Amino acid sequence: MTATHAPRTSPPKYAWAAGLMTFAAVMLTLLGILDIFRGIMAIAEDDVFLTTRNYVFEFDLTGWGWIHLALGVVAVIVSIGLFQAATWARVIGVAIAGLVIIANFLSLPYYPVWSVIMITMSGFIIWALCVARKEDFGDPFDSVPRGDR
């Protein structure tokens, strides 16, 4: 007589945590790509940006471009690690999103509406990366039914 076992299903916590990680990875990818474009526009000294005088955190527009370009490239690289649920990517992702918030806050006078949008996106990324715990992920191989041995 052979016993049949019901296939294991992943706990609902796993789907929730994986969904947040995917959300953060997609948002960080978009944030990185948009920051890369913003950096290229600033380096090329496009007329899209408003130049203001007497701003406390005044940098050359090209300097802001290189800052945003570097943050965007690192954000895209880290988002690849987030798609694999790597712990290092979560830690660096929170740090990069925090730096993006600071950079966009400091460049508010140059492009205010877009800076506020990027700050909001970064806030959601930090929330999504911090709210999911390691134990919520479980072992993805536990959900695979195994044959009789």
Side-chain angles (χ1 to χ4, degrees):
M1 175 178 227
T2 354
T4 58
H5 300 283
R8 293 185 198 179
T9 59
S10 60
K13 290 191 304 186
Y14 175 72
W16 177 80
L20 279 178
M21 188 65 66
T22 303
F23 169 78
V26 169
M27 292 297 285
L28 194 62
T29 302
L30 290 174
L31 182 126
I33 291 170
L34 293 172
D35 239 9
I36 289 170
F37 288 148
R38 184 177 184 181
I40 291 171
M41 287 187 325
I43 292 169
E45 296 182 16
D46 197 4
D47 293 334
V48 172
F49 294 97
L50 172 70
T51 55
T52 60
R53 295 177 188 225
N54 300 327
Y55 182 53
V56 176
F57 305 109
E58 185 176 340
F59 283 149
D60 181 33
L61 188 57
T62 306
W64 280 119
W66 284 109
I67 290 170
H68 286 287
L69 183 66
L71 286 173
V73 168
V74 173
V76 169
I77 292 169
V78 169
S79 67
I80 294 169
L82 286 176
F83 280 115
Q84 300 169 355
T87 303
W88 65 267
R90 290 178 66 189
V91 173
I92 296 174
V94 170
I96 290 298
L99 289 174
V100 167
I101 287 175
I102 293 169
N104 280 288
F105 176 76
L106 295 177
S107 66
L108 269 169
Y110 299 106
Y111 214 34
V113 174
W114 190 248
S115 293
V116 170
I117 290 171
M118 296 294 275
I119 289 169
T120 305
M121 284 175 61
S122 298
F124 281 125
I125 290 168
I126 291 172
W127 171 78
L129 292 176
C130 290
V131 76
R133 297 173 308 201
K134 180 84 171 159
E135 52 271 4
D136 288 337
F137 289 99
D139 186 8
F141 297 109
D142 281 345
S143 63
V144 177
R146 298 185 178 131
D148 294 330
R149 295 182 186 183

